[in-house]
Amino acid sequence: IAFVPFGRDMSCGILSFEGCNLITRRVITIIIPEIIVNVRVVTKIRRNLILEGSNPGVLLMNQGSRSIEIEIFGNRITRLDKALAAYAPVSLNLSRSYATRLIHNGAVSLKGVIVTEADFTVLDKQIWKIIIPEATTLETVAQNIPLDVVFEDEYLIIVNKPAGMVVHPAPGSLDKTLVNALLHHCSDTLSGIGGERRPGIVHRIDKDTSGLLVVAKSDIAHHGLAKQFEKHSVTRKYLALCHGVPDAADPRLLGIPGVGFESGNILKIVGNLARHRHERQRQAVIKNGGRYAVTRARVLQKFGTPAALSLIECWLETGRTHQIRVHMTYVGHSLVGDPVYGSKRKMPRKAFSETTQTSIKSFPRQALHASELGFTHPVSNENMHFTTPVPEDFSNLIDKLNVKA
């Protein structure tokens, strides 16, 4: 072993450190300032094994951290992240996503050896050690932004999100998001989601889509809601204005792969979604691969003479990015105002007055509103059901469409 200044060791071969073993065929750098041990390069063969107390990004465990041991029973679940979530104590409310993050952060070990790959294979009767860090406050700034709160208790909150508000901070939208607003509104009532004091976002709607969102305020609520979304047991209905009139009598629709009609003239669209091959900000329906997606829709009202637009109710069996917008465009009934997937076809001149046609063309966003949300309360098991009417801009457009040409 060659020693270099500032507590750095350049080493290779078989290393032992406080009872932990690491095998490497390449030179690695270990930084040793008291409790921090950072392994820069690990052998490819055992790239997922690192000395306990370290990780690829230098893991600092605070004083509030606690150690949990989880024993594996049987061979029913063999993937590490899934096994930890399944066999962890119920009181821990350990979700798979949080388990994955802990694994990647070097907080999971087996017999003193850190494992940092979520798909690592576990075996019966193994005892895994997890370090759960104390909940910390995110750097995301709390902002005093008015919220339309539909319901709130100590576990969750339902908000009616306005169009134009981003749900979560991201490049280009670092503040003034729903999360910023919730951090201020909920403040000290957040008990911690995945080790951080933050609102637990379990589903999202697009920036320019308005409507209902449920957000968890605690780990137990987050875990319970996430399971319901994963099982597709949550009721989510949307109101939208689309071009044309989807109808079972239209032979064009029946010729599109994955498209059919159910009893009651309900349009059913089954089409896997993935990123567009050339335009990476768009989603597209693809034949092979992608993520399974199902949308249903029915016409509530027709507008124009002849009918050129429809108010439709859509409900989701799955919840993929831009799902309703992509599926309705796929079947030739894109949403009014959609800047990404909008229809290029022209409406019949006589369908609406010039004033109404101008209002339709100038509608500044996709005409889509999350109007209904239903789920089982993750703590009380009470059936929760909420509805909200379309916002003013949407309502005003419908009023104009109801004026005869």
Side-chain angles (χ1 to χ4, degrees):
I1 297 176
F3 293 95
V4 294
F6 307 107
R8 294 174 179 264
D9 290 346
M10 303 295 292
S11 314
C12 65
I14 301 177
L15 307 177
S16 294
F17 183 83
E18 294 185 355
C20 304
N21 293 321
L22 173 69
I23 301 175
T24 176
R25 294 181 299 176
R26 298 166 57 190
V27 173
I28 65 172
T29 301
I30 302 177
I31 307 172
I32 317 178
E34 299 183 8
I35 66 167
I36 307 175
V37 180
N38 188 17
V39 180
R40 299 292 190 188
V41 182
V42 181
T43 177
K44 184 176 182 180
I45 295 177
R46 300 190 62 187
R47 64 189 182 281
N48 60 316
L49 304 180
I50 305 177
L51 300 182
E52 185 170 4
S54 67
N55 75 23
V58 184
L59 178 67
L60 287 173
M61 307 307 295
N62 53 42
Q63 291 184 348
S65 301
R66 55 196 173 115
S67 176
I68 302 292
E69 289 189 346
I70 298 177
E71 184 173 357
I72 306 301
F73 296 99
N75 298 312
R76 182 173 61 88
I77 302 174
T78 59
R79 184 181 163 109
L80 178 57
D81 55 352
K82 290 184 176 181
L84 294 179
Y87 295 120
V90 176
S91 60
L92 192 60
N93 293 304
L94 183 66
S95 66
R96 179 182 171 187
S97 60
Y98 187 28
T100 299
R101 187 140 49 90
L102 289 172
I103 293 167
H104 291 164
N105 285 345
V108 177
S109 62
L110 176 66
K111 295 182 178 180
V113 178
I114 296 293
V115 176
T116 62
E117 289 191 357
D119 60 355
F120 188 87
T121 300
V122 300
L123 301 175
D124 182 30
K125 297 182 181 180
Q126 285 181 335
I127 298 178
W128 289 79
K129 179 181 176 183
I130 301 182
I131 303 297
I132 305 293
E134 184 182 26
T136 57
T137 302
L138 284 179
E139 293 182 4
T140 304
V141 179
Q143 295 178 307
N144 187 4
I145 302 171
L147 287 175
D148 182 1
V149 178
V150 178
F151 173 85
E152 183 177 10
D153 64 14
E154 62 181 303
Y155 301 104
L156 54 85
I157 182 172
I158 310 291
V159 296
N160 182 18
K161 186 189 82 68
M165 175 181 273
V166 175
V167 172
H168 200 281
S173 302
L174 298 178
D175 62 357
K176 298 180 181 179
T177 69
L178 179 61
V179 168
N180 294 112
L182 287 169
L183 283 171
H184 179 272
H185 175 85
C186 299
S187 186
D188 294 336
T189 64
L190 296 173
S191 64
I193 305 293
E196 299 169 340
R197 289 193 180 92
R198 63 178 175 85
I201 304 298
V202 290
H203 68 126
R204 305 186 188 194
I205 55 179
D206 299 333
K207 173 184 176 181
D208 290 322
T209 298
S210 55
L212 296 171
L213 270 170
V214 57
V215 181
K217 295 168 63 177
S218 68
D219 251 335
I220 189 170
H222 188 264
H223 196 47
L225 288 170
K227 277 189 174 181
Q228 292 181 58
F229 276 94
E230 184 179 353
K231 294 178 179 178
H232 310 304
S233 61
V234 177
T235 298
R236 283 173 292 170
K237 292 187 178 181
Y238 293 73
L239 294 175
L241 282 171
C242 73
H243 290 276
V245 181
D247 194 286
D250 185 350
R252 179 189 63 83
L253 286 175
L254 298 178
I256 300 175
V259 177
F261 281 85
E262 298 177 335
S263 177
N265 203 25
I266 295 174
L267 172 66
K268 181 180 180 182
I269 308 168
V270 181
N272 289 13
L273 300 182
R275 285 190 183 276
H276 193 282
R277 290 180 61 185
H278 306 296
E279 301 176 57
R280 304 302 290 173
Q281 298 302 314
R282 292 166 56 103
Q283 298 288 311
V285 175
I286 63 171
K287 185 176 181 180
N288 299 310
R291 304 185 72 188
Y292 179 72
V294 180
T295 302
R296 288 178 172 83
R298 66 186 179 102
V299 176
L300 300 179
Q301 188 176 357
K302 303 173 187 177
F303 302 100
T305 307
L309 297 180
S310 300
L311 175 65
I312 59 174
E313 180 183 56
C314 303
W315 56 101
L316 303 177
E317 185 174 313
T318 55
R320 311 304 184 197
T321 302
H322 300 173
Q323 180 174 318
I324 292 175
R325 299 164 64 190
V326 178
H327 272 173
M328 293 309 297
T329 298
Y330 173 67
V331 298
H333 294 287
S334 60
L335 304 191
V336 169
D338 194 327
V340 179
Y341 305 99
S343 174
K344 295 180 181 179
R345 72 184 186 186
K346 296 181 179 179
M347 289 179 292
R349 288 185 178 181
K350 296 182 179 181
F352 303 102
S353 67
E354 289 186 9
T355 301
T356 301
Q357 291 224 26
T358 300
S359 297
I360 296 169
K361 293 177 182 177
S362 62
F363 195 70
R365 65 180 182 93
Q366 63 265 14
L368 183 62
H369 174 70
S371 60
E372 188 172 339
L373 181 65
F375 57 90
T376 300
H377 195 287
V379 178
S380 69
N381 290 321
E382 179 184 357
N383 289 327
M384 312 291 286
H385 187 262
F386 305 92
T387 60
T388 183
V390 296
E392 187 176 5
D393 64 340
F394 201 134
S395 177
N396 288 342
L397 181 57
I398 291 177
D399 289 342
K400 293 176 181 178
L401 294 176
N402 279 315
V403 176
K404 299 298 182 181

